[in-house]
Amino acid sequence: MSSTGSPVDAYRGGLSAAGIRVAVVAARFNQDITDRLLEGARGALKEYMVADSDVEVFRVPGAWELPQTAARVVATGRFDAVVTLGCVIRGETPHFDYVCSHASIGLGRVATESRIPVVFGVLTTDDMQQALARAQEGADNKGFEAATTAVEMVTVFRQVDAG
């Protein structure tokens, strides 16, 4: 797995997110993988000094439910960023294509219409081995990467809003 282009190394230790509130919306489907992504996201938020009390986790059945839930979370106005986590593994039917398409297009729409960052942390892999490689411990964990992106984007949005 390549992490080339990942924002993680550029910002490690350089961002502080103390005081921001983050919602993490995580799918339960392929839970062995999504639990690892969630652990990675929590690790990144802790590293960037986000208090545990400022992180709220919402579990949904699968990746299909991520866009609708992310939109509801954004609408509450209680959070500075939303991190979405899921894992869709290709099977023998076109179901994979429909779920991946819905998740990516739906979350893209939510992100575009939102005043806060909505980060896509959904794995779309051909097999379990690829999913496990992206959910390992450390900065190569895509949940860690998604949470890092959320922290960076909160900073960027605040710069934009400050003029």
Side-chain angles (χ1 to χ4, degrees):
M1 177 183 75
S2 171
S3 60
T4 304
S6 168
V8 171
D9 289 335
Y11 290 100
R12 264 194 116 159
L15 291 174
S16 173
I20 73 166
R21 294 205 22 92
V22 178
V24 180
V25 183
R28 285 191 315 272
F29 200 85
N30 289 317
Q31 190 163 355
D32 51 336
I33 301 297
T34 60
D35 283 352
R36 293 173 189 220
L37 296 173
L38 179 57
E39 186 176 317
R42 286 182 186 267
L45 294 171
K46 183 173 290 245
E47 184 171 313
Y48 295 115
M49 301 172 30
V50 177
D52 287 342
S53 60
D54 287 334
V55 178
E56 194 163 345
V57 177
F58 300 92
R59 295 305 291 247
V60 298
W64 184 270
E65 291 77 24
L66 291 172
Q68 183 178 23
T69 306
R72 293 288 289 253
V73 169
V74 168
T76 69
R78 296 188 297 129
F79 300 96
D80 298 297
V82 178
V83 176
T84 63
L85 304 172
C87 177
V88 186
I89 300 173
R90 187 176 303 279
E92 297 176 3
T93 69
H95 182 75
F96 171 89
D97 299 317
Y98 301 126
V99 173
C100 292
S101 179
H102 175 74
S104 64
I105 291 169
L107 287 169
R109 185 172 294 124
V110 173
T112 302
E113 295 173 359
S114 176
R115 299 268 316 148
I116 65 171
V118 177
V119 179
F120 185 83
V122 180
L123 301 181
T124 56
T125 65
D126 289 323
D127 55 43
M128 181 62 81
Q129 183 178 353
Q130 289 177 351
L132 287 167
R134 287 155 180 79
Q136 61 189 316
E137 281 188 43
D140 286 337
N141 178 294
K142 294 302 181 182
F144 190 104
E145 185 176 300
T148 298
T149 298
V151 169
E152 179 184 0
M153 291 304 295
V154 167
T155 302
V156 170
F157 280 24
R158 287 180 177 173
Q159 290 172 341
V160 169
D161 291 345

